[in-house]
Amino acid sequence: METITRFLGGYTDNFIVAIGLWPIASFMLTLPILAYLYRYDGRIKAASFVSVYLTVLYILGLGCFTLYPLPQGTEGLGITYGIAPQLNPLGFIGDLQKDGIAAMPQILANVAFFVPLGFIASRLLRLNFFWTVVIGFFVSLAIEITQLTGFLGVYPYAYRTFDVDDLLWNTSGAIIGWLIAAVVARVLPPGSLAEEGDIERAPGLVRRGVALWLDMLLMGILTSVLGVAVRLVALLLGFDDFTSINDTCLPWMSAGAFIAVEGVIPWLRRGQTPGGAFVRMTCETRERATMRRLIFYLARLVTLAFALWYFPPIALLLLVFYAFKKKMPYDCI
């Protein structure tokens, strides 16, 4: 017991770092997490919400436990010399013969660290046994390569041990986690996932916001691609005044991407923008005749354009309007 306590005590700082990073990472990943939940659950369920944020903590913990602490100063591991890799797949036998029970905590830790990964793969991602094994192995391999290369070249030498046996123990942990999830599923079956045809026709404010965020990412990508294309054409034609080209073309490219993503695509897809399709919603909250539908889309484009251009004042006014009406102004058309 004393051996295990002493071993776990060596990871106290790692756990503290993971806990400290958790709120920051959770905040940065909130929109992607919400998009994931809307996509696969079709709604925000408390159990899924908590599970995903605990998954974020687990990923941070796994990174901190395997890569932290980082080398400091001008001497020591990873600075003036490296740790030789352990490439013997039966090396753990020698460790057990040499250290006896004292070698067990490290082996058990390598198994235990990956049990949550297997559980997450089965319960949250709904992956089968084969893909859980594949993910467990390649996540372990990625960690070991990071250790072998001194944090992918950040440090000139390996400051943590690359141990080929860890691939075996880590993958075994993922398998155990998958089996535990399978047993739990018999007692507490996981909730049903959203069907392919499930579309929310009265989306709430959060779902609308996540869809708009995804659309804005797509608009940014489209504008960047168009910008690169324009520059290539300009080079072929002998123009090299890129500042003038950007000043002239960028507003038009941005406007074109905005109209395409928020106007043309949803018009052709019965109200589903690319982001809306991902989170399973349509902006057309009800059926409208052709002329009224056209007016609806024009009003929506103008409203979103003002909200983005005059952010945050117009956005705050829209929030107030939604708080009272539970709809956006253009939904009233």
Side-chain angles (χ1 to χ4, degrees):
M1 186 65 182
E2 181 181 350
T3 301
I4 296 177
T5 302
R6 185 168 59 252
F7 174 81
L8 293 177
Y11 287 99
T12 302
D13 291 342
N14 306 63
F15 183 72
I16 291 174
V17 172
I19 291 292
L21 292 174
W22 189 29
I24 301 172
S26 297
F27 176 77
M28 295 176 62
L29 293 174
T30 291
L31 288 174
I33 287 172
L34 291 177
Y36 165 83
L37 292 176
Y38 279 127
R39 177 64 184 172
Y40 290 99
D41 281 344
R43 61 191 185 279
I44 300 296
K45 295 190 294 188
S48 298
F49 189 80
V50 172
S51 298
V52 172
Y53 278 98
L54 287 177
T55 299
V56 173
L57 176 60
Y58 165 71
I59 294 172
L60 288 172
L62 187 63
C64 289
F65 284 128
T66 56
L67 301 176
Y68 184 86
L70 301 175
Q72 297 179 355
T74 58
E75 296 182 355
L77 298 181
I79 300 296
T80 55
Y81 59 93
I83 301 176
Q86 199 293 102
L87 301 177
N88 180 8
L90 299 178
F92 68 93
I93 297 177
D95 293 336
L96 290 173
Q97 292 175 340
K98 175 183 176 183
D99 300 324
I101 193 67
M104 286 301 298
Q106 182 66 52
I107 295 175
L108 294 176
N110 283 322
V111 174
F113 284 163
F114 272 65
V115 170
L117 180 64
F119 189 90
I120 290 166
S122 175
R123 185 77 178 186
L124 192 62
L125 302 180
R126 312 294 175 90
L127 298 179
N128 60 28
F129 179 81
F130 172 78
W131 285 111
T132 298
V133 173
V134 170
I135 287 178
F137 176 81
F138 278 100
V139 169
S140 176
L141 181 62
I143 291 172
E144 295 301 316
I145 289 176
T146 303
Q147 294 175 337
L148 179 65
T149 57
F151 209 152
L152 301 178
V154 173
Y155 299 96
Y157 298 97
Y159 66 94
R160 299 290 291 266
T161 304
F162 174 96
D163 192 336
V164 70
D165 288 336
D166 289 351
L167 298 175
L168 170 64
W169 303 128
N170 294 159
T171 306
S172 299
I175 292 173
I176 293 172
W178 188 92
L179 294 174
I180 292 173
V183 173
V184 171
R186 292 182 176 274
V187 181
L188 296 172
S192 59
L193 297 178
E195 298 292 336
E196 190 60 36
D198 290 346
I199 302 297
E200 178 59 54
R201 300 192 176 278
L205 186 62
V206 175
R207 193 190 296 246
R208 291 173 186 255
V210 174
L212 180 60
W213 171 72
L214 291 171
D215 289 336
M216 290 177 64
L217 287 180
L218 178 59
M219 285 185 269
I221 293 172
L222 288 175
T223 302
S224 299
V225 171
L226 289 173
V228 171
V230 168
R231 287 193 173 200
L232 290 176
V233 172
L235 283 174
L236 292 175
L237 295 177
F239 297 102
D240 57 3
D241 187 0
F242 292 132
T243 301
S244 176
I245 293 173
N246 284 339
D247 292 342
T248 303
C249 298
L250 189 59
W252 291 103
M253 291 186 294
S254 299
F258 173 74
I259 293 172
V261 172
E262 297 297 336
V264 177
I265 293 177
W267 175 275
L268 298 175
R269 291 174 51 84
R270 303 303 303 176
Q272 287 193 297
T273 67
F278 188 86
V279 299
R280 302 181 183 278
M281 63 157 277
T282 174
C283 65
E284 294 189 32
T285 53
R286 59 189 175 88
E287 293 291 332
R288 294 176 175 85
T290 302
M291 184 54 66
R292 177 168 289 190
R293 187 167 180 247
L294 178 60
I295 296 172
F296 164 81
Y297 272 101
L298 291 175
R300 183 174 180 274
L301 283 173
V302 171
T303 301
L304 292 178
F306 271 91
L308 295 174
W309 190 263
Y310 294 104
F311 186 86
I314 301 299
L316 291 176
L317 289 177
L318 291 175
L319 288 177
V320 172
F321 185 93
Y322 188 90
F324 285 96
K325 292 290 188 177
K326 300 303 179 185
K327 61 176 68 174
M328 287 297 174
Y330 45 81
D331 291 328
C332 299
I333 298 175

